Each structure stands twice: as structure tokens, then as C-alpha cells.
Amino acid sequence: MHVGLIGARSFGQHHLEGMQRSPHVEAVTLAGRNREAMEALRERFPKVRAVSTHYQELLADPSIDLLDVVLPHDLHLPVALEAFERGKHVLMEKPPARTVAEFRSMIDAAEAADRRLFVVMNLLFTPFHHVIRRAVDEGRIGTPFLSLEVNTGSALKVYGDPENWRADRERCGGGLLIDGGFHSVYRQLYFLEGLGAPRWLTADCAQIGVSEPEKGEDFATLTLAYPEGARVHLMSQWTARATLGRFPSGILGTEGSLLVTGDEACPLLLRRPEREDEPLPVPAGPQGFGPSVTACVEHYLECLATGAQPVVDLDLAMLTLEIIRGAYRAADEGRRLELTGTFRTHFPSS
């Protein structure tokens, strides 16, 4: 197939690596604002046959089968809609859209055009996440009742730069929650899929470390509640002048806990009463954001070429987006918000 990649710099290079590795991709055309940078990528990746500084040229090219979109969030919907109108499949970086309504419009357009739509949820392609899920499913910690994830970061440059689209209320759709928070939500849903889907949430979203009216929240806390009482609690803050290091994160169960250590040599511990901590081995494979993006893109290319079902369906992306938009609403209105969405993944360990 011939793939068009819009936004090949930065994270787009990990997408390009997946195309280079895929036996199903014959040619790639790149679009980006910096032609010199695009030409440099053409030298590094032999499958790149052409470059452009205007992504509209890729939309108009009838030889392109799949359009891979790595653009600011406000461009996701219009680019996808035009791609479907022109008979192309679409691979979309996360989040797929700024709002649930935008994403539904995108899905409807894909169905009307009989084209396929894929959404990058790359962390689910790492062995580390599979080991956590397997330990939960096998009952290694009993019945899980709390999953906890807390982090602080320093993205002051993003919040202080009005020209940077990230965290821009209009272009990004919000602040940290709809950006990095998208990863946190979908992986927690995956870890606890055996409990079903959460039924309500509470949230607090605010700008507390800076004062930038055009930017979104730099602080978010989100609690998801499951039918039988289990909770997921996420907290993030993105404008720390000096970060506090890693906070304890993991999953608590009725018979033990899974502890995410942050140590590359021993990233995951099984902790149970009156026993020594048990390191859980993580098999070789893509680890971290970049390699997992490449693995995710390779998988979707395989699915497109063979007609196979992807291991991650659009319903997980939709529920993740519903939760994030619901969190904004719950924070604004100061109340608990009910959830109705469901999902299912199709990994071998699931």
C-alpha cells in the first residue's frame, strides 16, 4: 500500500518506523512544514518516495490508500472527513478528536465511505502492560479494588508559549487530561477490563501552577467507579518547577498488590502479606512511548492489509474520550457524572 503521513517530525517518526518495517507498505509520502526536515527523513527511510509542505496534496493523491494523521487536535476531524470523502483509510493519533461529537462524526464518515479508522493507543502494545493485565486476570492479587496513578511533570514551556497548540483550550480541546491523560485512562480501562466498565466518575480540573487564560488545566484528578465498588484514581500536575519524582502507583487487591516501581531492571513487583516481594518478569518487546507507537502502527497496517480485527477497537477510544469530556463536565458542575459506555479488547491475554 501507499501511505501518506502528515506530521512526520517528532512522534511521527515512530509512525514512519512502523511503515518502514511493514511488509505491506510499498511507498510513503510525507507532509510537513519543514521541507528540509522531510528530505532528511527521506534519506533515513528508504520507503519515503516523496515529500510535500502541503498536506492537501496528500489528500488529493489518488494513489494513497491510508492517511496517517499526526497533527494538532483541532485538525483531526476536518482532515479525516476529507480523507474519507476521497476514499482513503485513516490512522489517527490520540486523542482521535477533541469531543465525543467530533469522534462520532468521524466514525460515521468512515462507515459511510466503507473505509477503516484506527486510533493510536500505543501503550497497550507493550509487554509491561500485558504482564499487569495477566496478573490481574489470573487473580494474583485477589479481587482488585483500587488502581492508583499519580504523576507530576514540568511542561512550563508549553503553558507559557501562546504559539504552542498543546494545552491550548481551543486547538487541543483542553489541557493535560485530554493530552497525556488519554493514555492514563485507556490503560486503566484495559487493566481492569475484567470488572466491566466504570459506571460513574468525579473529577477536579483546574489551572493552579500558572495563569494562562488561553491554556487548559495543568492539574487534574479523576476517580472512576466500577459496579462492584472498585475505584481508579488518577492525579496529574504539569507545571511543577521541580518535580517530586515517582509516586507509588499500582493496583491494590484483596490478597495483594501490584507495584509499579519505575526501575528498568525490576519494573513490576507482586506484593503480598507475609511474603517477600516477587518481581514479575517483563518479556522482551517494545517498551516506552516511541517503540510502542511503532508496534501499534505495524499492527494496524497488518489489519488493514489482511482485513483482520485490531486488538483495540474504536469503542475503547470512544469510552476514553467520553470519560475525559465527562471529567471536564463533572469538574465544571461539581457533581458525579454517570457513564454508560462499554468496550472490549482482543489481546491474546484478554
Side-chain angles (χ1 to χ4, degrees):
M1 69 182 79
H2 182 185
V3 179
L5 172 58
I6 306 176
R9 299 180 67 187
S10 189
F11 253 67
Q13 295 184 51
H14 302 301
H15 289 241
L16 185 52
E17 183 69 39
M19 298 167 197
Q20 185 63 43
R21 294 182 183 181
S22 173
H24 305 293
V25 174
E26 180 180 359
V28 179
T29 297
L30 305 180
R33 291 177 296 178
N34 187 323
R35 177 173 287 276
E36 183 178 348
M38 297 300 102
E39 293 290 356
L41 289 172
R42 174 150 61 173
E43 293 181 5
R44 286 178 50 200
F45 295 92
K47 287 185 179 180
V48 175
R49 304 293 172 82
V51 300
S52 172
T53 54
H54 301 286
Y55 70 77
Q56 292 85 354
E57 293 180 358
L58 275 62
L59 286 163
D61 186 344
S63 73
I64 290 178
D65 306 290
L66 168 71
L67 202 66
D68 187 351
V69 182
V70 189
L71 288 172
H73 303 168
D74 60 321
L75 295 176
H76 286 191
L77 179 61
V79 171
L81 293 183
E82 187 168 353
F84 291 134
E85 287 179 3
R86 293 175 178 268
K88 304 182 191 308
H89 305 281
V90 173
L91 195 166
M92 188 66 67
E93 251 294 349
K94 67 82 194 164
R98 294 173 297 178
T99 67
V100 170
E102 285 186 352
F103 192 30
R104 285 179 177 154
S105 295
M106 197 181 295
I107 294 172
D108 290 345
E111 293 177 350
D114 194 24
R115 300 291 89 181
R116 299 187 73 175
L117 171 64
F118 305 96
V119 176
V120 171
M121 288 179 277
N122 52 289
L123 293 183
L124 302 189
F125 290 82
T126 69
F128 174 75
H129 286 71
H130 299 166
V131 171
I132 293 176
R133 169 63 183 269
R134 190 174 302 113
V136 171
D137 287 352
E138 292 175 353
R140 303 290 298 277
I141 60 171
T143 302
F145 58 81
L146 175 64
S147 188
L148 180 67
E149 186 175 327
V150 179
N151 68 79
T152 62
S154 182
L156 284 166
K157 290 183 178 179
V158 169
Y159 284 83
D161 181 4
E163 300 300 318
N164 193 319
W165 67 268
R166 292 190 69 191
D168 184 277
R169 289 181 183 273
E170 177 61 25
R171 300 201 68 194
C172 187
L176 64 86
L177 188 57
I178 200 167
D179 195 334
F182 196 87
H183 292 296
S184 296
V185 172
Y186 73 65
R187 70 174 168 188
Q188 293 294 335
L189 295 174
Y190 169 68
F191 291 154
L192 301 184
E193 185 176 354
L195 300 180
R199 296 296 83 188
W200 56 262
L201 65 82
T202 59
D204 180 18
C205 302
Q207 200 178 96
I208 61 176
V210 294
S211 180
E212 301 290 346
E214 299 303 315
K215 296 287 186 173
E217 77 285 353
D218 67 346
F219 166 81
T221 180
L222 167 64
T223 299
L224 301 174
Y226 284 78
E228 300 302 319
R231 299 288 194 272
V232 168
H233 185 72
L234 310 174
M235 193 284 282
S236 296
Q237 207 290 321
W238 266 16
T239 57
R241 274 63 176 178
T243 61
L244 301 177
R246 174 172 286 275
F247 286 82
S249 63
I251 304 176
L252 310 182
T254 55
E255 298 177 16
S257 302
L258 291 171
L259 174 64
V260 177
T261 68
D263 181 355
E264 290 186 8
C266 181
L268 189 62
L269 289 176
L270 174 61
R271 180 167 290 174
R272 289 173 289 186
E274 300 179 359
R275 301 188 191 184
E276 291 186 1
D277 289 350
E278 178 185 343
L280 296 184
V282 176
Q287 306 292 352
F289 278 90
S292 64
V293 168
T294 298
C296 179
V297 169
E298 282 190 88
H299 171 71
Y300 287 151
L301 291 169
E302 178 73 20
C303 291
L304 183 56
T306 64
Q309 179 185 43
V311 293
V312 183
D313 285 338
L314 295 178
D315 53 5
L316 177 56
M318 177 60 83
L319 180 55
T320 299
L321 193 56
E322 286 178 349
I323 287 170
I324 290 170
R325 298 315 312 183
Y328 287 137
R329 182 179 173 188
D332 287 343
E333 299 177 1
R335 68 180 182 90
R336 189 172 91 174
L337 193 75
E338 303 299 318
L339 297 167
T340 59
T342 60
F343 74 100
R344 183 182 178 187
T345 62
H346 308 281
F347 289 91
S349 60
S350 301

